[in-house]
Amino acid sequence: MRDRHANLARIRSLDPERDHLEIYQTMLRHEFCWDLRLGLNLAFNRSFSIPEIAAVHTATGELTQRTRKRIDDTGLLMYEMVLNGFDHPRGRAALRRVNQIHRPYGIGNDHYRYVLGCLVVIPTRWIDRHGWRPTCCHERRATHALYRELGRRMGITDIPETYQEFADWFDAYDAAHLRPNDDAAAIERATRELLLGRLPRPLAPIGDALVAALYDDRLRAATRVATPAWPVRAGLHAGLRVRAWLLRHLGRPRTAPLFAGGVISTRTYPDGYTIDQLGPADTTDSRTTGGGAVTASRPDPD
């Protein structure tokens, strides 16, 4: 049987600054597949809830009227960059598309930094609390280095220099700016339908409460979501602890990585997609795919 901690040993042998992409790929594709993906979903949910950011999204209708496509597009662009790296043609095309999508809106640097902070901090904290093992210092440093590089390539400035500094900045900004607002509530109602669709049928009657239990008090207040009854919250977290124990003591390392063969499947694009299809149609330009279509159903990870 393969050593449950073999990936961790390899990660610790790498340089988190130089090898941040390899470390993050290992976290996503081998070590924390479900937890990191859920953590990223929760990170985006939180970033959408800052009043000024929520107002932009409700004005475009992308998250409230075309919710499934918007969420799939966001995930695909992120995974294209992570699977391939920023210097790979596919990663460059995805990054260019991200910048094109955001260019028309007057989004301030602090708001961009906050979204970046959500991606750095929220998934890491989820894993530390609910994963089969906590993240190690190399994984936290590599996560920070990856998103710092993404931010640099997006033109975001004043990104904190270390993971802990970013976490401290994020907590202070979150406490000051994540406030109750109707736009965030509208986005949460739209996006929760996607989360509810993933629940096993026997849990459907308490689905709304389970989704609310994934949020903390501040996010529930911002999105005007009622705090679920304590038995639901306690039951969810107890179930997650049992899952973590089982994975830690009885689980085995993945033999095939997440997105094996580079295939990313979504309901929006069951037959594959091109990068210029991702996001609102009116922000596309001919440079997105280098003048041609890049079929994105089978990216070629580094």
Side-chain angles (χ1 to χ4, degrees):
M1 185 173 110
R2 293 176 61 199
D3 180 1
R4 190 75 172 97
H5 292 84
N7 286 323
L8 177 58
R10 185 170 62 84
I11 285 170
R12 285 174 168 166
S13 73
L14 299 173
D15 183 318
E17 292 293 327
R18 182 191 63 226
D19 305 317
H20 57 264
L21 179 62
E22 182 179 351
I23 292 172
Y24 197 79
Q25 287 174 339
T26 302
M27 293 171 65
L28 174 65
R29 306 186 76 193
H30 295 275
E31 290 289 272
F32 308 113
C33 304
W34 183 82
D35 291 286
L36 186 47
R37 293 180 77 187
L38 178 59
L40 288 168
N41 284 340
L42 293 173
F44 279 116
N45 279 1
R46 197 177 198 93
S47 72
F48 297 152
S49 300
I50 288 286
E52 295 83 357
I53 298 174
V56 170
H57 285 296
T58 55
T60 66
E62 290 295 309
L63 272 169
T64 52
Q65 299 171 30
R66 294 172 288 278
T67 310
R68 166 62 68 179
K69 182 179 187 302
R70 177 63 171 80
I71 294 298
D72 283 350
D73 289 355
T74 298
L76 290 168
L77 287 167
M78 178 63 65
Y79 293 140
E80 285 285 349
M81 291 185 285
V82 171
L83 289 179
N84 296 294
F86 301 121
D87 293 320
H88 187 281
R90 304 184 63 80
R92 288 200 303 271
L95 178 61
R96 189 178 303 122
R97 187 72 184 115
V98 168
N99 285 328
Q100 288 168 359
I101 290 168
H102 291 93
R103 190 174 296 131
Y105 308 105
I107 302 172
N109 190 69
D110 277 353
H111 292 145
Y112 276 120
R113 272 199 299 175
Y114 178 76
V115 175
L116 208 62
C118 286
L119 297 173
V120 171
V121 175
I122 298 298
T124 306
R125 287 178 174 171
W126 174 271
I127 292 169
D128 288 345
R129 184 175 183 186
H130 300 296
W132 71 272
R133 66 166 177 83
T135 58
C136 75
C137 60
H138 274 44
E139 289 166 328
R140 291 189 293 276
R141 288 178 61 192
T143 297
H144 171 265
L146 177 80
Y147 287 106
R148 182 186 61 205
E149 180 62 15
L150 172 60
R152 185 185 70 79
R153 293 177 184 240
M154 291 181 65
I156 302 172
T157 60
D158 300 320
I159 299 170
E161 287 298 319
T162 67
Y163 173 88
Q164 190 56 54
E165 289 175 3
F166 211 163
D168 292 343
W169 180 89
F170 171 82
D171 287 336
Y173 193 88
D174 190 76
H177 296 275
L178 187 62
R179 304 184 304 275
N181 65 97
D182 292 338
D183 291 315
I187 292 170
E188 196 283 330
R189 286 194 299 272
T191 55
R192 82 160 36 213
E193 292 302 315
L194 304 184
L195 289 173
L196 290 172
R198 296 182 178 181
L199 291 176
R201 186 170 298 177
L203 296 178
I206 59 170
D208 284 321
L210 285 173
V211 171
L214 293 173
Y215 305 157
D216 61 19
D217 289 339
R218 192 179 295 147
L219 182 57
R220 282 193 289 263
T223 54
R224 306 193 192 283
V225 171
T227 300
W230 75 262
V232 176
R233 286 178 284 145
L236 173 66
H237 293 293
L240 289 168
R241 284 195 296 271
V242 170
R243 169 185 173 270
W245 187 93
L246 291 172
L247 289 174
R248 182 164 55 251
H249 295 288
L250 303 177
R252 298 182 179 183
R254 290 180 67 100
T255 55
L258 180 68
F259 306 132
V263 177
I264 309 175
S265 298
T266 67
R267 292 186 185 179
T268 304
Y269 308 101
D271 301 316
Y273 58 91
T274 58
I275 289 176
D276 58 3
Q277 286 179 276
L278 305 179
D282 59 357
T283 59
T284 304
D285 70 32
S286 61
R287 297 177 301 157
T288 302
T289 57
V294 176
T295 302
S297 58
R298 292 183 177 271
D300 180 19
D302 287 347

